[in-house]
Amino acid sequence: MEAAPVAPCTSADPCAADWLGLGTAVVLVLTLYWVWRQPRLALAGLAATLAGFAVYGGFTAALGEPSALVFLMAAAFTAAGLVHRLAVAGRQRALALEAAGPAAQPLPAAARTFRRGRFSFALAALLLAVAGFGYWQAQQVVDAYEERAAGATHLSGRVTALKEDDDGIGILKVKADGRTYRFETAFPEDFPVDSRVDIVVDGDWAALVAEPYDAFGWELLVLVGSVAGLAFLTNGVDGRTRSQRLRRGPLPVLHVLVREGQDDGRTWVFAADDLEGLQPILHFHSLYAFEDEDGDEDGDGLDAGDGPASVVELGKVTEILRGEDPPQPLREAVLYGVPYAGAEVAFVARDDADDAEVSVECSVTAVKPAVPRLVELGPQRRKRMNPRRSVDEIAAGMTPTAGPRAWTAHGFSRAVGLGLLLVQGGGIWVTLDEELSWTWLWLAVGLPWLVTAVATALTWRITADRDGLWVTGAWRVRRVPWNVITSVRHSDDGIRVGRAKDSPVELSPTGWAWLEHRLGREPHAGRAVEELQALLLRPELRPLEEAPTGRQGVPVGPPLVALSVLWGVAVLLLL
């Protein structure tokens, strides 16, 4: 698409609103998404895209334009991959039916009242309404131009100059009827100097016939809203359809083992004889299903994300994000449905081996086969990347010292601080570049948070001495005695020192743990927390002296505020 030639803007074929082309772009972007999520819809999207390609003469152009030929080759390769995926899914379904045998059982009552799609439908309605609003606004721009151009004077002029302003926008100077007009243009290459152009003039208002108006922002809103809205709509319809198909009659059942993953809450399914959980077969996300007390199986029932199920799932997600969720054991389960790529299933299992009752869970994402790389990215890799050392192991690597110990901002933390400082400076420039308006409120709301984050990331410091910790943040240095500290934790790229009575002392951000893990490094803040925990639990390792004032740290929040004010004044003087 980038390399394909673009038709120039002319008076006969102006660069105006092209709703057919925008619709083709919507289908193309949706098709890219469906290749990942909906293979059958992706094939339909490819067919529609190729039909539009043919209408625009793309098949003829493919003989002479490399970009068109590459597009056709990519479409053919994608179609072949989609057909292969669907064929493999069919073979998986046949093998699963063979493994389950002729026995079939009705779906549990709780699963029959479980509904999917309502949340997706609500989001789709909201996003499509946004797209409709963007279309209405763009049409207002079009109608306003056409109404004014109908009563304006049509002139032909000569391009006398072409240059760019300070913002990189092309400025076109056109001389017509003894007067010079200035026009902004998005395609300056279409109007060389000394060429003739048509313009419409109505008093002080003038416009190029070839580029009559700029509705790109509204068209972009239509594109984004339509793609996102239609994606949620198709996901909702697909989920609701597969959920209804699951409830149509008796289903094959399989005796399996299941385990909930710690990283993202996936349900991993293992063969019944894989008692060690070494090789998962498939995975999906699931939610608890609860039986409708009224027993109305034909009603709306419980929707994914509604009622008690959402409360249970929210608690599990919160534990996972905090890193407090313990490793989950393997559980025996009965799987209802035919497990193959893209299927919908439900299963019955005990939450705990001691529970007398079983719970029912239904899939809320399509079943996917477990591949080695995804398994490697699961709990085993997480365990290797984040080995939890015992306090004894940490203490063994520390030697008692008389002088205070200090932990300060490291390379990754300072890099985060410098990045946020650039964002802060750019935000001040962009905001002050505009006239006084409501957008200045963003500066008033966001600047305090940015200053705090930048100052913390650049210069955070924790100093341990005989009597406690000196914690240096963005605005002050806090004293935390050892006898009031309840815990020291590292989470959400921050350090949290819990206190017995008062609120905890927090430093954030103190680095970028995700990136440090990906680069194979141990987060510096995490190492600092481990050593602080060792000092908390092993008093004999604590320093013997008090920290002098020079080693307690200096907060840089106030100087950074002064620097921001000076930068804002400089921006105003430069504009």
Side-chain angles (χ1 to χ4, degrees):
M1 290 179 64
E2 180 64 26
V6 180
C9 303
T10 63
S11 299
D13 187 16
C15 294
D18 181 13
W19 298 117
L20 180 60
L22 184 65
T24 304
V26 168
V27 174
L28 181 59
V29 177
L30 272 175
T31 301
L32 291 174
Y33 169 70
W34 286 337
V35 165
W36 171 45
R37 289 294 301 272
Q38 306 281 357
R40 287 183 174 82
L41 288 178
L43 284 174
L46 275 177
T49 302
L50 291 175
F53 189 69
V55 170
Y56 282 101
F59 289 104
T60 303
L63 299 176
E65 294 178 8
S67 60
L69 182 60
V70 169
F71 178 82
L72 286 176
M73 293 172 61
F77 182 80
T78 305
L82 292 170
V83 171
H84 172 71
R85 285 168 57 187
L86 293 174
V88 168
R91 292 199 296 272
Q92 289 174 353
R93 186 175 188 277
L95 290 172
L97 284 171
E98 181 181 350
Q105 298 293 331
L107 199 64
R112 290 198 297 271
T113 61
F114 187 84
R115 299 291 186 271
R116 287 188 55 192
R118 189 178 302 167
F119 182 68
S120 294
F121 290 145
L123 279 179
L126 177 62
L127 291 166
L128 291 176
V130 170
F133 174 76
Y135 173 79
W136 176 68
Q137 288 290 336
Q139 202 59 42
Q140 292 287 100
V141 174
V142 175
D143 294 342
Y145 165 78
E146 292 180 348
E147 182 179 352
R148 191 157 191 177
T153 303
H154 290 250
L155 300 174
S156 178
R158 182 176 63 86
V159 178
T160 59
L162 178 63
K163 62 179 183 178
E164 288 187 357
D165 62 7
D166 295 337
D167 297 327
I169 300 175
I171 303 296
L172 202 66
K173 289 186 177 181
V174 178
K175 188 173 183 180
D177 198 23
R179 183 178 174 184
T180 300
Y181 298 90
R182 291 167 53 91
F183 303 98
E184 291 184 357
T185 174
F187 305 100
E189 64 276 7
D190 293 342
F191 309 101
V193 176
D194 291 332
S195 63
R196 306 292 298 184
V197 295
D198 296 324
I199 63 175
V200 287
V201 179
D202 183 14
D204 294 334
W205 175 83
L208 282 171
V209 174
E211 285 188 46
Y213 47 79
D214 181 13
F216 177 76
W218 297 117
E219 291 175 326
L220 184 62
L221 182 63
V222 173
L223 175 66
V224 174
S226 299
V227 169
L230 291 173
F232 276 109
L233 181 62
T234 53
N235 286 345
V237 171
D238 178 69
R240 182 62 59 90
T241 301
R242 287 193 281 114
S243 179
Q244 291 175 348
R245 189 182 305 125
L246 191 68
R247 302 192 305 269
R248 284 179 182 171
L251 299 169
V253 291
L254 289 171
H255 178 208
V256 296
L257 298 175
V258 297
R259 171 188 283 158
E260 186 173 293
Q262 284 185 273
D263 287 339
D264 56 3
R266 280 191 184 96
T267 296
W268 296 85
V269 179
F270 301 81
D273 57 356
D274 187 4
L275 301 180
E276 299 296 328
L278 300 177
Q279 181 57 55
I281 300 172
L282 49 92
H283 65 89
F284 50 86
H285 288 86
S286 62
L287 286 177
Y288 285 97
F290 296 89
E291 188 172 355
D292 191 355
E293 294 180 357
D294 297 332
D296 181 13
E297 296 183 8
D298 296 327
D300 288 338
L302 293 175
D303 188 78
D306 296 334
S310 62
V311 178
V312 174
E313 188 68 14
L314 181 60
K316 292 196 294 186
V317 171
T318 303
E319 290 178 347
I320 291 168
L321 293 178
R322 289 179 177 176
E324 300 172 352
D325 191 33
Q328 299 296 314
L330 283 170
R331 299 178 290 159
E332 284 190 290
V334 176
L335 189 73
Y336 290 79
V338 185
Y340 62 94
E344 191 92 358
V345 295
F347 67 90
V348 175
R350 289 186 175 91
D351 291 333
D352 190 90
D354 298 329
D355 288 345
E357 297 183 358
V358 296
S359 59
V360 180
E361 295 188 45
C362 295
S363 61
V364 292
T365 58
V367 169
K368 294 182 180 180
V371 295
R373 181 178 178 274
L374 188 59
V375 176
E376 177 67 14
L377 291 174
Q380 290 91 351
R381 184 171 182 230
R382 176 182 174 181
K383 185 176 181 180
R384 289 200 308 271
M385 293 178 62
N386 299 297
R388 294 185 177 181
R389 300 188 300 164
S390 65
V391 174
D392 293 333
E393 184 181 354
I394 298 169
M398 300 175 63
T399 56
T401 60
R405 293 177 180 266
W407 299 265
T408 61
H410 205 247
F412 280 94
S413 180
R414 289 171 181 159
V416 170
L418 290 175
L420 292 175
L421 185 61
L422 292 175
V423 172
Q424 175 186 326
I428 292 175
W429 180 287
V430 171
T431 304
L432 296 182
D433 189 27
E434 301 179 358
E435 296 181 358
L436 183 63
S437 66
W438 65 271
T439 57
W440 284 41
L441 293 175
W442 290 107
L443 186 64
V445 173
L447 190 59
W449 178 86
L450 274 174
V451 170
T452 302
V454 169
T456 303
L458 289 176
T459 61
W460 68 267
R461 182 185 182 95
I462 299 178
T463 303
D465 63 9
R466 180 184 62 190
D467 299 321
L469 301 179
W470 296 95
V471 182
T472 304
W475 305 104
R476 57 176 173 159
V477 180
R478 296 186 182 183
R479 180 60 162 168
V480 188
W482 289 115
N483 58 2
V484 303
I485 299 177
T486 59
S487 64
V488 184
R489 297 183 57 190
H490 175 236
S491 62
D492 298 330
D493 291 322
I495 296 175
R496 181 187 180 101
V497 180
R499 294 188 289 182
K501 296 181 180 179
D502 300 324
S503 60
V505 178
E506 298 187 48
L507 296 175
S508 180
T510 56
W512 193 356
W514 180 86
L515 182 58
E516 293 176 72
H517 281 311
R518 292 302 179 272
L519 296 178
R521 300 184 181 183
E522 182 180 5
H524 177 68
R527 170 70 70 173
V529 166
E530 288 182 343
E531 294 182 356
L532 286 168
Q533 289 172 341
L535 293 180
L536 179 63
L537 298 175
R538 299 287 190 272
E540 64 275 12
L541 295 176
R542 297 173 188 172
L544 303 177
E545 301 175 359
E546 292 187 7
T549 304
R551 296 198 61 180
Q552 295 172 10
V554 178
V556 298
L560 192 58
V561 170
L563 181 63
S564 301
V565 172
L566 291 175
W567 172 245
V569 172
V571 169
L572 290 174
L573 293 176
L574 290 172
L575 296 177

